[in-house]
Amino acid sequence: MQISQQTPMPSPPPAITTKDLSYLKDAMSWELLAFKKFHFYAQQVNDLEIKQAFEQAGKMHQNHYQRLLSHLQVNNDAIMANVPNPNQGQQH
């Protein structure tokens, strides 16, 4: 059995589809929840080393959330207006 290797995209696509948006919303929810949990755990422990580990993990999830959010900060309508419509030119 041969396993095919996919090459990663160098950058996200300029437009966001409805399916992309659904994935991004889910991922953002998971990252936000993880950030909140680690923040809560950091407040509950007395051991400084464990507290710092929780804070570091929380910051990592906060950074992931911010990166995902940055992908949503595009003018999707303007980008989609320039995407060719395959149905244009067809008359019914």
Side-chain angles (χ1 to χ4, degrees):
M1 175 180 225
Q2 186 178 9
I3 300 174
S4 64
Q5 293 284 327
Q6 290 184 342
T7 57
M9 290 181 115
S11 63
I16 299 171
T17 65
T18 305
K19 193 170 188 174
D20 293 334
L21 183 59
S22 179
Y23 288 140
L24 286 168
K25 285 170 64 175
D26 284 346
M28 289 177 73
S29 293
W30 300 329
E31 294 296 345
L32 185 59
L33 180 60
F35 165 70
K36 287 179 178 181
K37 284 184 175 185
F38 280 116
H39 179 73
F40 174 79
Y41 298 151
Q43 303 307 310
Q44 303 303 311
V45 298
N46 293 322
D47 185 307
L48 184 60
E49 195 172 333
I50 294 172
K51 183 181 191 84
Q52 289 174 338
F54 283 148
E55 288 173 349
Q56 183 178 3
K59 285 180 183 178
M60 177 190 70
H61 287 287
Q62 184 180 24
N63 288 338
H64 290 172
Y65 180 90
Q66 292 296 329
R67 288 180 72 188
L68 291 169
L69 181 62
S70 72
H71 293 304
L72 295 174
Q73 296 172 330
V74 297
N75 186 344
N76 209 51
D77 290 334
I79 293 168
M80 291 305 290
N82 294 321
V83 173
N85 184 346
N87 295 328
Q88 275 182 329
Q90 293 181 358
Q91 298 201 353
H92 295 265

